[in-house]
Amino acid sequence: MATLSLRNLVKTYGKVEVLHGISLDVADGEFVVFVGPSGCGKSTTLRMIAGLEEVSGGEIRIGERLVNDLEPKDRDIAMVFQNYAIYPHMSVRKNIGFGLRTAKMPKADKEKRIEEVAAILGMGDLLERRPNQLSGGQRQRVAIGRAMVRDPAVFLFDEPLSNLDAQLRTQMRLEIKKLHQRVGNTIIFVTHDQVEAMTMADRIVIMKDGYIQQVGTPLEVYHKPANTFVAQFIGAPSMNMLPGTWTGGGVRLADGLGIELPRRNATEGAEVVLGLRPDDLLVTDRKGLFSGTVNIVEPLGADTLVYVGVNGHEVIAKASGREPPQPGQTVELTADAGEMHLFDAASGEALP
Amino acid sequence: MAAQDVAIKASSDTLFSGSSRASRRNMGQFIRWALLFSGGVLMVMPIVFMLSTSLKFPFEVYNLNLIPEEPTIENYTYVLEDGRFYHWFWNSLIVATLTTISAVFFDALVGYALCKFRFPGRYLIFIAILSTLMIPTEMLVIPWYLMSKSFGWLDTYWGIMFPGIMTAFGTFLMKQFFETVPDDFLEAARIDGLNEFQIWWQVAMPLVRPALAALAIFVFLGNWTAFIWPLIVTNSADMYTLPVGLSSFGDEVDVAWELIMTGAAISTLPTLVVFLVFQRFIIRGVVMAGLKG
């Protein structure tokens, strides 16, 4: 186990800079998830940590060691790939043990270690099988086993669940989390799926266009998003964004509706964006903050998502799952002022 | 009543058009089979003719009957008792085997480097290698001969083999196949501690076995049947390869076709063995098995 430190990490391809000096400290045994849309630089960062991409600028330290110029094999890391990358011409036993072939330990100890790992992953009876005789989930377990067997300082996961179906993905998510609780190694996990990030991470690193947008625990990034990008990226469905003007005691929306808010760090008359999560914007029988006409209804079972047209904007709100409103119906929407988010319209930064 | 008539007519139309479709399908199938059969016959006939001639006496060789009037195995006895045949067979086996091993090794090595490494001039080198495919062998034999002469390679195994120790076609074939090997495999191996040569040998090569097998068959057959260059570079009967040696059967007056065909029939055996050994690798595609399901 070890800490991981990134300092002003830069990556350029020719003249194009794709990673613009990111810095991050990961604690020993921490589970950190990098999340962001395609092209945000999360996989590039992971590959630089692994040593598969050269570092154009800045420092990477694993423990106290500067690893910028070390070969991947000398960094004490193990990586699980999106496509599993288990060798099809080798049995599960050989695949898992492959990382140990250069380890200076007796053969019997290697075999014992392979069987221990296989037992942890529930693959003890599949050791003699070839990858083409395994299901997708089993292949992913073999890939994790190959990483585990070396007991590396840092585990790197590059979108390992992307190729699994929804049910298996949920199951593997749980297994990886259990595995982390059991072995306690430092884990860097890359995904574009914010649900994976929220459910697995100790801390989430949200990236966009080669910059870190926010680092925080899942609840921090959900409840206190640093900017409009984070606010809309985390949470499904996305946060509703309503443009308006800060009046000193609240927001006057573009359609003239006024909403009172606790004092914020904004100058009167400033252009702002009011953020309301669909989970916090509820359909009510009483008089609400504003009313609108239901366009679309999406029943989810326990709840219903309701797409409501409000003075030219469409917002998503939540209604009861048992008696949902019908399309065309006029509904009242309400929200607690404490759950409302305010952002600067120009910079997108949160206004605390 | 009228409605019933219409229904009957419609159903008979359907039946008729159904049977017409079936007969068209049968006709198409017949034409396909006829074409395939003709192609098969065209390919098999020379082999049948070779076997037939090998079982004939000299007086019957120029009769084009497929079944000999007086079949004999005397030609086989003669060829197999002639010590030269074994010598030529051995020469061909050495030349074809060593050239195959060498070409497969170097073609795969160069193909891998051109496919998986990024270095300046990579594309230029690839184009240069490809462009050599456009030069016919007949143009190359003179420089090859001069080179062999100046290095003292005439009438040696090395002299016969050196033009084939690496091939442009094989390099191209292997490069294209390595394109299908996902980089994830190689990167996983890099993290697992393998050096670049080990990655190529232990990870990449097993993933392109079908291509290696195909290349091995092509190279082996090409060298086993090579005639012009071995004929030019060898002087002594001891160094002849099988095709060159077989062509020497006969004398100034006549060519002993029955003996040549007998030697040719025997010489097809190793090629059959090579094909049977390697074809299972061609059929078994392994690359995708370790990737997402």
Side-chain angles (χ1 to χ4, degrees):
Chain A
M1 292 198 285
T3 58
L4 172 74
S5 168
L6 311 179
R7 283 279 161 273
N8 300 316
L9 202 58
V10 174
K11 179 65 189 173
T12 54
Y13 292 105
K15 288 178 183 171
V16 182
E17 190 173 283
V18 294
L19 215 57
H20 314 286
I22 64 168
S23 296
L24 178 74
D25 286 307
V26 178
D28 187 8
E30 197 176 10
F31 195 135
V32 170
V33 176
F34 280 66
V35 69
S38 296
C40 70
K42 56 188 189 299
S43 283
T44 306
T45 308
L46 191 83
R47 291 170 59 78
M48 286 165 83
I49 297 168
L52 299 173
E53 295 278 355
E54 276 183 30
V55 175
S56 309
E59 284 185 357
I60 301 174
R61 287 180 186 274
I62 295 175
E64 294 304 311
R65 278 195 314 161
L66 181 67
V67 298
N68 281 33
D69 299 319
L70 292 185
E71 291 292 319
K73 66 184 168 66
D74 300 324
R75 295 189 178 205
D76 199 9
I77 49 111
M79 187 159 164
V80 178
F81 292 84
Q82 184 178 353
N83 286 334
Y84 321 146
I86 51 175
Y87 309 122
H89 55 291
M90 295 180 194
S91 64
V92 169
R93 181 186 295 279
K94 282 192 175 170
N95 262 290
I96 293 178
F98 199 72
L100 291 179
R101 29 176 299 294
T102 50
K104 290 186 178 73
M105 60 197 291
K107 199 180 170 198
D109 289 355
K110 286 183 184 176
E111 285 299 320
K112 195 178 160 202
R113 179 85 188 121
I114 292 168
E115 283 178 16
E116 273 172 13
V117 167
I120 290 172
L121 295 168
M123 303 198 72
D125 52 347
L126 302 176
L127 281 171
E128 306 313 322
R129 289 207 191 166
R130 289 285 179 102
N132 60 4
Q133 297 168 312
L134 302 176
S135 68
Q138 287 170 333
R139 288 181 200 183
Q140 191 55 279
R141 277 200 203 105
V142 177
I144 294 170
R146 197 174 63 189
M148 274 176 69
V149 78
R150 290 167 51 203
D151 192 23
V154 180
F155 274 115
L156 306 173
F157 287 81
D158 189 7
E159 306 206 28
L161 310 183
S162 305
N163 292 327
L164 305 179
D165 60 49
Q167 196 182 353
L168 201 53
R169 197 181 308 166
T170 311
Q171 187 191 332
M172 286 304 293
R173 211 162 65 195
L174 197 67
E175 286 189 23
I176 291 174
K177 200 163 175 173
K178 276 185 192 164
L179 191 70
H180 177 244
Q181 283 170 355
R182 185 169 179 166
V183 298
N185 294 49
T186 308
I187 292 183
I188 309 294
F189 191 104
V190 161
T191 179
H192 61 266
D193 182 345
Q194 53 100 15
V195 177
E196 266 172 36
M198 291 291 286
T199 51
M200 299 172 84
D202 291 332
R203 277 193 305 158
I204 298 178
V205 179
I206 299 149
M207 294 187 70
K208 183 195 172 201
D209 298 337
Y211 292 99
I212 290 179
Q213 300 292 315
Q214 188 173 2
V215 182
T217 64
L219 293 183
E220 274 170 2
V221 296
Y222 184 82
H223 291 295
K224 293 179 182 171
N227 53 41
T228 49
F229 174 77
V230 175
Q232 291 198 286
F233 193 82
I234 299 290
S238 273
M239 186 184 276
N240 297 299
M241 294 293 184
L242 301 168
T245 312
W246 180 249
T247 60
V251 178
R252 182 159 304 282
L253 297 180
D255 54 25
L257 180 71
I259 296 174
E260 285 184 20
L261 281 176
R263 182 135 197 92
R264 299 294 176 108
N265 189 15
T267 53
E268 202 172 320
E271 297 291 310
V272 293
V273 176
L274 178 71
L276 283 165
R277 288 208 181 277
D279 282 344
D280 300 325
L281 186 61
L282 306 173
V283 174
T284 178
D285 297 336
R286 300 176 197 164
K287 176 71 181 158
L289 283 173
F290 39 79
S291 61
T293 310
V294 175
N295 293 330
I296 293 171
V297 171
E298 284 183 346
L300 300 175
D303 301 308
T304 303
L305 292 178
V306 187
Y307 291 70
V308 184
V310 181
N311 292 334
H313 289 285
E314 188 170 71
V315 295
I316 307 171
K318 205 152 117 181
S320 151
R322 291 194 181 279
E323 291 174 15
Q326 297 304 309
Q329 187 181 333
T330 302
V331 290
E332 289 286 328
L333 302 174
T334 186
D336 181 7
E339 301 298 341
M340 294 185 194
H341 305 267
L342 201 66
F343 304 94
D344 182 84
S347 67
E349 296 299 313
L351 297 170
Chain B
M1 190 66 188
Q4 202 175 9
D5 284 349
V6 170
I8 290 166
K9 187 176 183 306
S11 95
S12 82
D13 279 356
T14 313
L15 198 66
F16 182 74
S17 74
S19 77
S20 147
R21 253 203 310 276
S23 78
R24 270 204 305 274
R25 202 166 45 233
N26 286 343
M27 181 56 89
Q29 210 156 25
F30 174 77
I31 292 170
R32 266 199 299 277
W33 280 107
L35 283 172
L36 285 172
F37 183 75
S38 315
V41 167
L42 277 175
M43 276 189 264
V44 169
M45 271 311 283
I47 297 167
V48 173
F49 201 70
M50 174 185 77
L51 291 173
S52 160
T53 310
S54 73
L55 297 170
K56 288 177 180 175
F57 283 106
F59 68 83
E60 206 189 337
V61 163
Y62 292 101
N63 290 346
L64 295 180
N65 53 333
L66 283 180
I67 297 168
E69 285 167 19
E70 293 176 46
T72 175
I73 57 163
E74 210 170 85
N75 298 323
Y76 285 89
T77 315
Y78 179 85
V79 167
L80 292 173
E81 281 176 357
D82 185 338
R84 293 178 304 166
F85 180 83
Y86 293 106
H87 214 85
W88 299 333
F89 192 95
W90 177 244
N91 288 346
S92 276
L93 199 64
I94 285 184
V95 167
T97 305
L98 291 182
T99 312
T100 302
I101 292 169
S102 163
V104 168
F105 182 86
F106 287 113
D107 291 351
L109 194 64
V110 176
Y112 178 79
L114 289 171
C115 174
K116 296 295 181 188
F117 293 117
R118 302 283 174 269
F119 54 89
R122 182 175 72 118
Y123 186 66
L124 203 68
I125 292 171
F126 182 56
I127 295 293
I129 291 172
L130 268 192
S131 62
T132 63
L133 281 174
M134 294 173 216
I135 306 170
T137 309
E138 289 74 8
M139 264 180 74
L140 293 168
V141 290
I142 294 171
W144 284 348
Y145 185 83
L146 295 175
M147 198 171 146
S148 300
K149 196 178 170 195
S150 57
F151 285 119
W153 295 344
L154 291 179
D155 217 22
T156 63
Y157 283 139
W158 177 245
I160 305 171
M161 288 188 302
F162 85 88
I165 58 169
M166 199 190 131
T167 68
F169 169 73
T171 306
F172 170 72
L173 182 81
M174 293 316 300
K175 180 188 176 292
Q176 296 310 106
F177 255 82
F178 280 122
E179 300 278 1
T180 66
V181 175
D183 288 345
D184 283 358
F185 282 128
L186 316 178
E187 290 174 345
R190 217 160 273 146
I191 290 173
D192 282 336
L194 268 62
N195 63 37
E196 292 305 319
F197 186 83
Q198 288 171 322
I199 292 171
W200 171 72
W201 184 250
Q202 292 184 30
V203 176
M205 287 289 267
L207 297 177
V208 293
R209 266 189 211 153
L212 295 173
L215 181 62
I217 290 174
F218 288 141
V219 175
F220 188 89
L221 291 184
N223 282 280
W224 185 259
T225 57
F227 182 72
I228 293 178
W229 175 244
L231 177 70
I232 291 169
V233 80
T234 53
N235 300 322
S236 60
D238 276 354
M239 285 309 297
Y240 285 172
T241 56
L242 203 48
V244 178
L246 290 179
S247 72
S248 71
F249 274 131
D251 50 35
E252 293 81 3
V253 183
D254 199 6
V255 179
W257 287 112
E258 71 286 0
L259 296 181
I260 290 175
M261 290 301 152
T262 305
I266 299 169
S267 74
T268 55
L269 291 177
T271 59
L272 281 177
V273 170
V274 167
F275 184 76
L276 291 175
V277 167
F278 285 110
Q279 70 164 353
R280 68 195 179 96
F281 292 115
I282 295 175
I283 293 163
R284 195 199 303 157
V286 293
V287 172
M288 298 313 288
L291 294 174
K292 57 184 173 177

